[in-house]
Amino acid sequence: MDKKLYVKTYGCQMNVYDSMRMADLLAPLGYRAVDAPGGADLVILNTCHIREKAAEKVYSEIGRLRLLKEESARGGRRMLIAVAGCVAQAQGEEILDRAPCVDIIFGPQTYHRLADMVARVARDEGTRLLDTEFPAEDKFDFLPEEAAPQGVSAFLTIQEGCDRFCTFCVVPYTRGGERSRPAAAVVAEAERLAAAGVREITLLGQNVNAYHGHGLDGGEWRLAALVRRLALVEGLERIRYTTSHPRDMDDDLVAAHGDVEKLMPFLHLPVQSGSDRMLAAMNRRHRADDYRRLVERLRRARPDLALSSDFIVGFPGESGKDFAATLALVNDIGFAQAFSFKYSPRPGTPAADAREQVPEPVKDERLAGLQQLLRAQQDAFNQRAVGSVMPVLFQEAGRHPGQIRGRSPYLQPVHAVAPAGLVGRTAPVRIIGVTANSLRGEIAGTAGAGAAHRMVEETACA
Ligand code: 5AD
Ligand code: SF4
């Protein structure tokens, strides 16, 4: 008999990938995904701990689920509640104490045991399980093949964990040390995805360009070697990867941006700050000028490369001068888009104990200033696309009848009035307008469909 599974995913793309793999694991037990928690047999909260108030959000969600669980019980049904992901990893014991309605707690490295945990808890009412160890075995060796993908774009985890220990970041504690999947497993997964209709893959890792997996030739492969091999997979048209650390951008990866046509000209490369003093306090192990030089090298390899980044404002000890250095870096680089956050102390990380915390109103003011600048750069980047023709990979129906939606090589969402039959295909689109966060276009004939497009003049933002 079918059982209902509801998974709520917080945070990063890797959590989205993990949630899909959890559903794959539970399918043999008869669980089918539903899109609301009411009446579900199993609810999984796949949590994120990277920024503010993560735990509070999880406890309030658990509070809501408790009511649904009681309602199910009144109807004679049992609803199991599981908490997964990085909050579970960091605060598993506390959740067990504070939330008696939670049946199962497990971390990012033990979800391959999920089917067994669910079966045990379902069998013995009253049993509660906590599994947040960092096991010796690799979960990927125990995951079933992924279910047929739904769309044309898919995520593929190739690397997990991090050894860099930036002083603000919980990842090395919640996801553990850095591990890379063997190239053979990654290529096999990519081939299955492509055979099922996927045209674009985004390779995922907390520090993905630190990839150093076992290669197909028996040696160790870095990310560039893997990307070059994946570019040979039939049917795949686009390859992206995220998230990277500037220090792990080796020469071959820079070169790959110039000579692997399927590698899309968009790179998310977090810099966090433009101040050398802050970068040192963050343990980033590079200076602002190293980042500038790296971007120059990347743009020499691929002149139209569009950049995205992450920024933290109000890191402990950040002065007005430090913040001005961040604005200067943003002005020098010119970003196509970016994410920016106020520093929030994560318990257990070194920066959380720093004495010189920046007052909240100062953080607010700096965040607003930075976001205004980044927004202007993003708008200018989008505006410059108007009049150009670029290949768009169409992914789904748009919001309005007759419209379909896809992505430009630079990851911009593009809407066009076009036949639904183009979904799943790449077509040349003339960009005719810009909306708040996306481009509007019209199909521009068939010439050049699928060809890699270069907007060579797009080397810097205004
Ligand atoms: N406070 C604010 N932002 C943070 N990030 C990570 N940890 C923190 C924190 N403690 C941001 C970084 C990172 C992104 C994923 O989240 O910018 O690159
Ligand atoms: Fe966190 Fe990224 Fe730094 Fe690793 S490199 S500690 S994941 S911010």
Side-chain angles (χ1 to χ4, degrees):
M1 195 192 70
D2 269 7
K3 298 191 196 89
K4 292 182 188 145
L5 166 69
Y6 175 72
V7 186
K8 179 158 181 174
T9 309
Y10 300 80
C12 66
Q13 291 154 334
M14 193 177 288
N15 266 10
V16 175
Y17 178 90
D18 289 343
S19 291
M20 289 190 303
R21 305 315 308 272
M22 289 175 203
D24 293 340
L25 278 157
L26 293 168
L29 297 190
Y31 284 94
R32 301 283 169 265
V34 293
D35 50 20
D41 299 282
L42 171 60
V43 176
I44 302 176
L45 299 181
N46 193 8
T47 62
C48 168
H49 200 226
I50 196 109
R51 283 181 303 271
E52 309 145 286
K53 303 198 175 88
E56 287 101 291
K57 277 189 214 153
V58 173
Y59 282 114
S60 52
E61 188 64 36
I62 292 173
R64 284 189 285 276
L65 291 176
R66 184 172 56 80
L67 302 178
L68 291 178
K69 184 173 180 143
E70 287 165 3
E71 200 178 302
S72 283
R74 282 195 294 275
R77 292 174 69 102
R78 185 158 170 234
M79 175 194 272
L80 300 181
I81 301 177
V83 182
C86 293
V87 176
Q89 186 68 43
Q91 302 193 9
E93 298 276 359
E94 197 185 317
I95 297 171
L96 204 62
D97 284 350
R98 270 183 61 180
C101 67
V102 172
D103 303 280
I104 308 172
I105 298 167
F106 56 98
Q109 302 314 334
T110 49
Y111 72 75
H112 56 295
R113 301 171 179 166
L114 180 59
D116 179 50
M117 291 189 266
V118 170
R120 278 171 57 195
V121 171
R123 202 173 45 230
D124 312 314
E125 195 138 357
T127 301
R128 302 174 73 209
L129 295 176
L130 170 76
D131 187 353
T132 49
E133 76 168 295
F134 287 108
E137 80 266 12
D138 183 348
K139 69 168 178 259
F140 287 104
D141 294 337
F142 297 85
L143 297 181
E145 272 189 18
E146 60 290 333
Q150 300 293 311
V152 284
S153 294
F155 297 129
L156 202 175
T157 294
I158 64 165
Q159 178 279 345
E160 225 181 317
C162 186
D163 293 340
R164 287 221 164 264
F165 290 93
C166 301
T167 54
F168 53 80
C169 184
V170 285
V171 165
Y173 311 96
T174 57
R175 288 270 170 177
E178 207 230 289
R179 294 162 318 286
S180 296
R181 289 176 73 188
V186 174
V187 171
E189 190 166 332
E191 285 174 345
R192 286 194 299 269
L193 292 170
V198 166
R199 297 289 162 260
E200 173 179 76
I201 50 169
T202 302
L203 307 176
L204 297 181
Q206 270 86 32
N207 186 11
V208 74
N209 62 339
Y211 179 85
H212 59 277
H214 187 76
L216 298 186
D217 57 8
E220 182 184 283
W221 277 15
R222 299 298 317 266
L223 183 57
L226 184 67
V227 165
R228 289 180 202 286
R229 175 61 186 82
L230 290 170
L232 302 177
V233 172
E234 211 177 312
L236 271 192
E237 292 175 15
R238 296 180 165 196
I239 301 171
R240 305 179 185 276
Y241 61 90
T242 196
T243 289
S244 295
H245 191 292
R247 275 287 295 260
D248 290 305
M249 214 68 216
D250 64 20
D251 290 346
D252 197 20
L253 190 54
V254 173
H257 277 279
D259 60 42
V260 179
E261 269 200 316
K262 290 183 182 178
L263 189 55
M264 288 293 99
F266 176 90
L267 178 61
H268 182 63
L269 191 61
V271 63
Q272 313 296 355
S273 169
S275 150
D276 289 343
R277 217 169 65 81
M278 288 300 102
L279 289 168
M282 290 174 172
N283 191 33
R284 293 289 291 178
R285 296 171 176 272
H286 65 81
R287 287 160 304 172
D289 278 350
D290 298 324
Y291 188 88
R292 287 183 176 89
R293 273 192 294 272
L294 173 58
V295 169
E296 261 171 43
R297 282 167 55 222
L298 282 159
R299 282 177 168 157
R300 267 201 299 276
R302 179 84 204 220
D304 63 331
L305 186 79
L307 283 150
S308 154
S309 202
D310 290 339
F311 295 90
I312 297 178
V313 300
F315 187 78
E318 186 188 67
S319 65
K321 208 168 138 207
D322 294 314
F323 177 62
T326 297
L327 296 179
L329 180 117
V330 171
N331 274 315
D332 288 348
I333 302 289
F335 290 95
Q337 67 155 74
F339 303 95
S340 43
F341 313 101
K342 288 189 287 182
Y343 171 71
S344 87
R346 305 284 78 210
T349 59
D353 301 326
R355 269 178 294 117
E356 291 179 275
Q357 299 291 339
V358 174
E360 228 25 56
V362 176
K363 286 188 197 171
D364 286 333
E365 197 186 329
R366 289 181 188 167
L367 186 68
L370 176 60
Q371 289 187 338
Q372 194 181 6
L373 177 58
L374 290 168
R375 181 77 239 177
Q377 291 193 339
Q378 181 172 345
D379 289 346
F381 180 78
N382 286 341
Q383 201 61 53
R384 279 204 303 274
V386 176
S388 70
V389 174
M390 47 172 107
V392 172
L393 173 58
F394 285 105
Q395 294 166 315
E396 60 200 359
R399 239 178 300 146
H400 304 294
Q403 221 186 32
I404 54 175
R405 211 184 77 96
R407 294 264 179 184
S408 79
Y410 313 100
L411 210 60
Q412 295 145 299
V414 182
H415 302 267
V417 175
L422 279 181
V423 170
R425 298 185 29 210
T426 303
V429 172
R430 183 180 317 285
I431 304 304
I432 54 174
V434 175
T435 52
N437 288 309
S438 61
L439 306 178
R440 258 182 324 112
E442 57 191 19
I443 303 297
T446 50
H453 167 86
R454 295 178 180 229
M455 293 204 302
V456 178
E457 70 278 13
E458 302 295 351
T459 50
C461 273

